[in-house]
Amino acid sequence: MKKIYFFLCALFLMGAASVGQASAKRITILYGNGPEFQKMYNLPDSLTSEEGNPLEFGITFEQFSLFYVPIWNYGEKEWAVYDAKARTIYTLDEETLAEFGDDYGWDVAKMPALSFWNAIGGKLVLLLVLGAIGGFLLWKKAQEENAKAEDND
């Protein structure tokens, strides 16, 4: 199992290193920093945006991510509708939010918690990757020390 884990970490690192330009000899880090949307309730198909695209109802918040893994959430959470095709988030005012709650029977008075992936999951993945890299470096150092000890004998 450890070999598979180290192999996956090595593949991840090689993929990250190969993303950069060869002539620049640098690693490109994919990151995101901005608004994020988490769907909470299903809206009827008849409710669409001005362009005719279906809308989703949920919460919006600000998020920092590395390699598409959420690392940090910040800013205020707000109720919003999201047009997935146009990639547009529309925050809701109090009156519109109350209408949604009354029309569909949703409890919009209390702000819901973020999903496990957005709240904790990304941080766990980051810790696992960093732990795997640290473990690999310690294992490599121990192997080199053992090789030197055998050469001295």
Side-chain angles (χ1 to χ4, degrees):
M1 183 68 180
K2 287 183 181 181
K3 290 181 182 181
I4 293 172
Y5 186 67
F6 285 124
F7 177 72
L8 291 175
C9 289
L11 280 178
F12 176 77
L13 290 174
M14 287 183 349
S18 66
V19 172
Q21 297 176 356
S23 62
K25 301 280 184 187
R26 63 186 174 103
I27 296 176
T28 300
I29 297 178
L30 300 173
Y31 72 95
N33 191 19
E36 188 66 34
F37 180 81
Q38 178 179 307
K39 182 178 173 181
M40 299 304 294
Y41 298 109
N42 290 323
L43 289 173
D45 293 336
S46 61
L47 193 62
T48 60
S49 66
E50 293 175 357
E51 295 84 21
N53 300 330
L55 295 173
E56 299 175 352
F57 183 79
I59 56 175
T60 184
F61 53 96
E62 301 288 321
Q63 184 178 79
F64 176 75
S65 61
L66 288 173
F67 297 104
Y68 306 106
V69 176
I71 303 299
W72 193 257
N73 302 315
Y74 60 95
E76 186 176 332
K77 294 188 294 186
E78 297 178 286
W79 288 104
V81 291
Y82 179 61
D83 181 350
K85 287 187 179 178
R87 294 184 151 196
T88 306
I89 299 172
Y90 304 100
T91 56
L92 301 174
D93 60 4
E94 293 294 323
E95 182 179 320
T96 309
L97 183 59
E99 287 178 17
F100 270 104
D102 293 340
D103 291 347
Y104 301 109
W106 298 332
D107 181 19
V108 294
K110 186 177 85 172
M111 187 62 64
L114 294 176
S115 67
F116 178 79
W117 175 248
N118 284 323
I120 298 171
K123 295 168 188 69
L124 291 177
V125 169
L126 178 66
L127 286 174
L128 286 173
V129 169
L130 292 176
I133 292 169
F136 176 75
L137 293 175
L138 289 174
W139 174 78
K140 187 176 177 182
K141 183 179 177 182
Q143 293 288 31
E144 289 173 357
E145 289 176 0
N146 288 342
K148 285 181 184 179
E150 288 178 5
D151 288 342
N152 290 337
D153 289 339

